[in-house]
Amino acid sequence: MVTRERIPYGPHRDQWGELFLPAGAGPSAPARTVVVIHGGYWRDKWTAELGLPVALDLAERGYAVWNLEYRRAGSTVGWRGQSDRSAGGWPATFRDVAMGVDHLANLGSRGVDRERVAALGHSAGGHLAVWAAGRAAQAARTGGEKPAVPLVGVVSQAGVLDLSAAHRLKLSDDAAANLMGGPESELAEEYALADPMRRLPTGVPVLAVHSRDDEAVPFELSEAYVSAAQAAGDPAELHETSGDHFALITPGTEAYETCRALLGRLLP
């Protein structure tokens, strides 16, 4: 029987995760662990509820799953005068994802295998998952603090992996500017820190799954990231699938089954 437990990783109301554990998982039998990071173009309209079907499916198949919530940017179209209801955006959203992943270091007694942790991120969650995967390499380059829980790999599900392109294309009413608090022309340094394309190489496998039929996030964003990552020497792969944007997080679809199979490669 799968168990579920909501656990805070910080004091803010959105700093929590829901831990799903498969039958038999425990301190003496830790389960390989997947961090599920939901999408929604970083806006507070969308919550970790998007990750529930995936979390339940993976837990039933033997994974420990950490369905992560985080502070999102306000839902106002554009960034000027946006709502501050959730207090998210740059850099709070990124700090939350880092804190949330690292909180797994405290959950070994519940049955989490802290040495075998991969991320599964959809849409904006794919962006955040790949960003999080680059933390160890970024710390090594800058002398910053190493992550307490490094990721062994990421399956990106139609991830927004090129933040500058998302801003240039004004995807979802310029959600990138809404996340960052302004245009790249005014926040060049911040965009460079937030964009997975600018944090290569990471040394971490990124397996990008995307469909050309996706109308929410262009296929070309995954294509561009994987090309750049491979050129930088990273073990990145692009897996073209079928279906719309949400097929990737719908158990039973071809797109989702591809993602689950790739997770099995990262966490054998």
Side-chain angles (χ1 to χ4, degrees):
M1 176 185 298
V2 172
T3 63
R4 297 170 59 174
E5 181 183 7
R6 180 163 161 163
I7 303 170
Y9 62 82
H12 192 276
R13 65 182 180 273
D14 288 334
Q15 292 175 324
W16 57 270
E18 190 169 20
L19 182 64
F20 295 74
L21 289 174
S28 60
R32 52 192 175 156
T33 302
V34 179
V35 182
V36 171
I37 307 180
H38 73 85
Y41 268 114
W42 310 284
R43 290 192 170 104
D44 59 10
K45 176 181 178 181
W46 303 99
T47 71
E49 185 175 355
L50 286 170
L52 286 179
V54 168
L56 286 167
D57 178 75
L58 293 175
E60 288 171 355
R61 297 172 186 276
Y63 294 93
V65 184
W66 181 229
N67 187 28
L68 189 64
E69 189 56 283
Y70 51 90
R71 286 175 288 178
R72 285 89 63 212
S75 294
T76 303
V77 174
W79 64 89
R80 302 199 194 311
Q82 76 165 353
S83 162
D84 193 37
R85 181 164 63 85
S86 64
W90 174 267
T93 294
F94 297 80
R95 289 174 177 165
D96 284 2
V97 170
M99 288 173 59
V101 173
D102 282 351
H103 194 70
L104 289 170
N106 304 318
L107 301 182
S109 63
R110 285 177 165 86
V112 168
D113 187 341
R114 297 166 291 182
E115 303 300 320
R116 292 193 299 164
V117 180
L120 178 69
H122 178 239
S123 193
H127 158 262
L128 294 170
V130 175
W131 176 89
R135 291 169 59 215
Q138 186 75 359
R141 285 190 290 265
T142 63
E145 185 176 357
K146 297 179 181 178
V149 179
L151 297 173
V152 301
V154 174
V155 175
S156 169
Q157 303 167 294
V160 188
L161 303 185
D162 187 335
L163 191 64
S164 290
H167 176 41
R168 185 172 64 254
L169 296 170
K170 299 192 181 301
L171 298 181
S172 187
D173 294 316
D174 209 353
N178 191 58
L179 169 72
M180 298 303 297
E184 187 172 10
S185 59
E186 298 176 7
L187 299 167
E189 182 177 348
E190 289 82 355
Y191 273 77
L193 291 170
D195 192 345
M197 290 280 283
R198 320 276 267 290
R199 291 162 63 89
L200 295 168
T202 66
V204 177
V206 171
L207 311 180
V209 186
H210 215 136
S211 169
R212 294 184 188 271
D213 296 327
D214 195 317
E215 296 182 353
V217 179
F219 179 85
E220 289 73 20
L221 269 63
S222 288
E223 193 172 42
Y225 176 83
V226 169
S227 177
Q230 290 175 343
D234 276 349
E237 298 175 7
L238 179 61
H239 296 264
E240 184 173 351
T241 188
S242 60
D244 65 14
H245 190 60
F246 293 99
L248 289 153
I249 56 171
T250 304
T253 64
E254 176 187 346
Y256 174 73
E257 297 302 320
T258 296
C259 296
R260 193 175 66 203
L262 292 172
L263 271 177
R265 282 179 47 193
L266 294 174
L267 297 170

